[in-house]
Amino acid sequence: MLRATNSPDERVTAEHRGKLAYIYVRQSSVSQVRHHQESTELQYRLIDRAVALGWPHERVHVIDEDLGKSGSGCVEREGFKKLIAEIGLGNAGLVISLDASRLARNNRDWHQLLDLCSLFGVIIADGERLYDPCAYHDRLLLGLSGIMSEAELHQIKQRLHQGERQKAARGELRLGLPAGLAHDRSGQIILNPDEEVQARLCLVFSKFRELGSARAVMRYLRKENLPLPMRPLRGPAPHEVVWREASNPRVLSILHNPGYAGAYVYGRRRQTGGRVRQDVYRPRTAKVPIADWEVCLEAAHPGYIGWEEFMENQRRLENNINRYEAGHSGVPRKGAALLQGIAVCGRCGRRMSLRYSGPAGNYPVYTCRADRGHDGGPLCQEVRALPVDARVESILLEALTPDRIAIAVDALGQMEEEVRQLERQWALRRERARYEAERARRQYDAVEPENRLVARSLERGWEEKLRAAETIEQDYERWRSNEPLVLSEADREAARENSLRDC
């Protein structure tokens, strides 16, 4: 019968001791490094094990750059790369780690380490024994250790996910909140107490009802110089609300977020594989349809809109994509034609596209290209757009003639309502700017006069806040000068009476 020997003398040779010994230290997260220090100290004490195996203390190197990083392969580990490089350069004679899970939690990194150690004759040690990757039985044990390490991580994730899913089903799992929501002292979800945040989000939803397009809402916000509140969820909590310039993805993130409809949702995204980039596994996530969300508790907390309006917004956003074959009408787009995107061919009943002709390429023509696109046949028909648009315009104006004054008065009323909304937004912005300047002044007044190092910094901060407040005031005055004129209530009533007499 063969007997496996664990004596270090038979595995560690003078050739191994002539090279360096490397101690690899790793903890999976910053929280573990902070709260589980005994494990970290136990890994650092592996230096004594290397010295006991015959390495001088000065020839034992510790690699601890990966403290607070996962070994699953989803993050870039500089320490592990350094270890692989030292082994490949032939500088390592011994690699010590507390167990296999500290070196790697995935088979790709683990077997890369084993292959290099076997090629360059490096001994691997854990907290119990030594392993020679060149020996069959030792390599078999090391391979099983790597498999068990990866399987253990999978089981841990499964148990954690099941517990998380069970807690989310009751609506008790604390998730990251968008800028418009916050947790109170009891842990309940409430609207953000900041009035400017509430007013800006209400403006986004009201303008989407009016304009029907996220891009149009974005252009309106940028035209009026109104930033959007955002809460970055990276970094240590609490995450403060920051103001960023409006963009299409930011507006869409607000419209797609069910939290603003008062719903508690878990499982909006699902991991769908991934790929390896720069030696790091990058998982991919995909959006899950609303019907397949794992947890969706409607009216779980206050919201800015109702659930019915949220669902209508989702259908509207989906319909904004120009896919006529799927029944999507799309949104109005920039062009010289009045019926662009809504003209239908009178011969085949299909949607007509638009092209431009003429010497300058600015004369619009409605074109039905369905037959050419399907079977390569000739065009179904082409119609010049300007005569058709003129006819449609005359029919529309003729139909609106009896109510033209009332329509104009209502349009002026809508303009006045929009002016009131913008006036409210500007008032909140000016109030915030004045508060920030006053706060900076109080901080400057509170510092001791002798502490000039701090006083100079606070003075600069105060001056910056004052300049920002002055800039907002100048922008407000510029906006007021360009504000459209609106009729008074008496003028509107007189116009309506004249309209009725004319009819």
Side-chain angles (χ1 to χ4, degrees):
M1 173 181 283
L2 296 175
R3 180 184 301 174
T5 60
N6 294 328
S7 174
D9 296 337
E10 297 184 5
R11 301 179 184 276
V12 181
T13 63
E15 182 180 357
H16 292 125
R17 294 190 180 94
K19 300 179 181 180
L20 302 175
Y22 288 92
I23 313 296
Y24 185 77
V25 180
R26 186 186 67 81
Q27 289 279 76
S28 296
S29 64
V30 177
S31 177
Q32 291 184 4
V33 176
R34 184 181 302 158
H35 301 293
H36 302 277
Q37 299 181 3
E38 287 295 331
S39 177
T40 308
E41 294 178 4
L42 183 61
Q43 295 183 65
Y44 278 112
R45 283 202 295 269
L46 292 174
I47 299 175
D48 299 334
R49 178 167 170 74
V51 173
L53 291 173
W55 270 265
H57 196 280
E58 63 274 7
R59 295 186 62 81
V60 179
H61 293 184
V62 177
I63 299 178
D64 55 2
E65 288 90 340
D66 295 339
L67 280 173
K69 296 183 179 180
S70 172
S72 61
C74 296
V75 297
E76 190 171 357
R77 293 190 291 160
E78 296 297 333
F80 187 78
K81 288 183 177 180
K82 178 180 178 181
L83 177 63
I84 293 296
E86 293 296 330
I87 294 174
L89 292 173
N91 298 331
L94 176 68
V95 174
I96 305 180
S97 185
L98 190 61
D99 50 49
S101 65
R102 302 298 178 184
L103 285 166
R105 283 284 194 178
N106 66 93
N107 286 323
R108 179 176 58 87
D109 291 346
W110 178 251
H111 285 287
Q112 179 189 14
L113 176 68
L114 292 188
D115 290 341
L116 286 176
C117 290
S118 174
L119 182 63
F120 290 94
V122 180
I123 299 297
I124 299 178
D126 57 16
E128 297 180 357
R129 55 169 293 172
L130 302 177
Y131 302 90
D132 185 3
C134 298
Y136 171 76
H137 291 92
D138 286 357
R139 188 178 179 87
L140 178 63
L141 289 175
L142 290 171
L144 290 175
S145 297
I147 294 174
M148 294 299 295
S149 176
E150 186 174 12
E152 180 186 16
L153 178 62
H154 175 73
Q155 294 296 329
I156 291 174
K157 287 183 177 180
Q158 285 293 105
R159 289 196 297 269
L160 291 175
H161 178 72
Q162 291 174 0
E164 184 181 85
R165 171 66 173 76
Q166 186 70 17
K167 194 171 183 179
R170 302 191 302 269
E172 299 176 359
L173 181 64
R174 189 157 178 166
L175 303 174
L177 296 178
L181 302 174
H183 288 106
D184 60 8
R185 293 185 177 181
S186 62
Q188 300 296 321
I189 299 177
I190 60 174
L191 300 182
N192 194 317
D194 194 322
E195 291 184 6
E196 186 179 7
V197 173
Q198 294 185 22
R200 193 62 46 81
L201 292 173
C202 290
L203 179 64
V204 170
F205 289 113
S206 65
K207 296 308 291 186
F208 183 74
R209 294 189 210 103
E210 175 188 344
L211 302 176
S213 168
R215 188 176 295 276
V217 175
M218 179 269 295
R219 288 197 294 264
Y220 173 82
L221 294 174
R222 294 175 73 97
K223 173 178 172 291
E224 301 297 339
N225 193 22
L226 298 175
L228 288 175
M230 306 297 295
R231 175 177 281 131
L233 298 181
R234 295 182 180 271
H239 304 98
E240 299 295 335
V241 174
V242 296
W243 294 87
R244 296 288 183 264
E245 188 176 13
S247 63
N248 196 53
R250 288 168 183 158
V251 174
L252 286 174
S253 68
I254 294 174
L255 297 174
H256 283 308
N257 198 318
Y260 289 127
Y264 179 91
V265 173
Y266 175 82
R268 293 175 59 196
R269 290 185 173 273
R270 181 181 302 155
Q271 186 170 335
T272 57
R275 57 180 178 176
V276 178
R277 295 183 59 186
Q278 298 178 353
D279 298 332
V280 178
Y281 176 79
R282 309 285 185 180
R284 292 179 178 177
T285 58
K287 289 184 178 180
V288 177
I290 296 178
D292 297 335
W293 285 348
E294 297 184 42
V295 178
C296 182
L297 305 178
E298 301 177 16
H301 55 79
Y304 292 84
I305 58 175
W307 181 255
E308 293 77 12
E309 183 176 353
F310 171 77
M311 295 298 296
E312 178 60 29
N313 289 345
Q314 306 314 302
R315 288 189 289 268
R316 198 169 187 177
L317 289 170
E318 183 180 3
N319 191 48
N320 285 346
I321 303 174
N322 283 340
R323 292 179 57 192
Y324 302 137
E325 65 279 1
H328 297 176
S329 60
V331 295
R333 298 181 181 275
K334 183 178 180 180
L338 179 63
L339 305 180
Q340 172 178 303
I342 61 175
V344 178
C345 179
R347 293 181 178 178
C348 62
R350 299 186 178 99
R351 294 274 182 176
M352 301 186 72
S353 60
L354 188 70
R355 73 177 183 87
Y356 292 90
S357 63
N362 58 355
Y363 195 93
V365 178
Y366 295 122
T367 306
C368 181
R369 305 178 181 178
D371 294 339
R372 173 177 292 182
H374 289 174
D375 51 18
L379 292 175
C380 182
Q381 69 169 327
E382 286 189 341
V383 182
R384 292 186 176 184
L386 295 184
V388 176
D389 293 349
R391 179 58 179 164
V392 172
E393 181 180 352
S394 64
I395 294 174
L396 178 62
L397 293 178
E398 182 180 354
L400 297 177
T401 298
D403 301 324
R404 60 184 184 276
I405 297 181
I407 294 174
V409 172
D410 292 340
L412 290 174
Q414 293 179 3
M415 293 174 60
E416 184 178 0
E417 178 62 27
E418 182 175 349
V419 169
R420 282 198 295 264
Q421 289 181 352
L422 293 176
E423 184 72 37
R424 172 65 173 165
Q425 300 293 331
W426 278 107
L428 293 173
R429 290 189 65 189
R430 295 164 62 202
E431 183 178 353
R432 180 183 295 278
R434 289 194 296 265
Y435 163 74
E436 294 290 344
E438 179 63 21
R439 182 183 180 185
R441 185 194 64 79
R442 292 198 305 268
Q443 291 176 344
Y444 175 75
D445 292 342
V447 71
E448 296 179 357
E450 296 80 5
N451 193 355
R452 301 306 303 168
L453 296 176
V454 177
R456 282 194 293 267
S457 299
L458 294 178
E459 185 179 9
R460 285 194 297 269
W462 182 18
E463 292 175 352
E464 292 175 0
K465 297 297 183 182
L466 287 174
R467 283 194 294 268
E470 183 179 0
T471 301
I472 291 179
E473 290 292 340
Q474 293 175 355
D475 293 341
Y476 171 72
E477 294 299 331
R478 191 179 303 111
W479 173 80
R480 289 288 299 177
S481 63
N482 297 328
E483 178 185 349
L485 296 177
V486 294
L487 295 179
S488 64
E489 187 65 28
D491 294 336
R492 287 199 297 269
E493 290 298 329
R496 290 193 182 96
E497 292 177 0
N498 293 333
S499 176
L500 293 176
R501 284 197 297 268
D502 293 341
C503 294

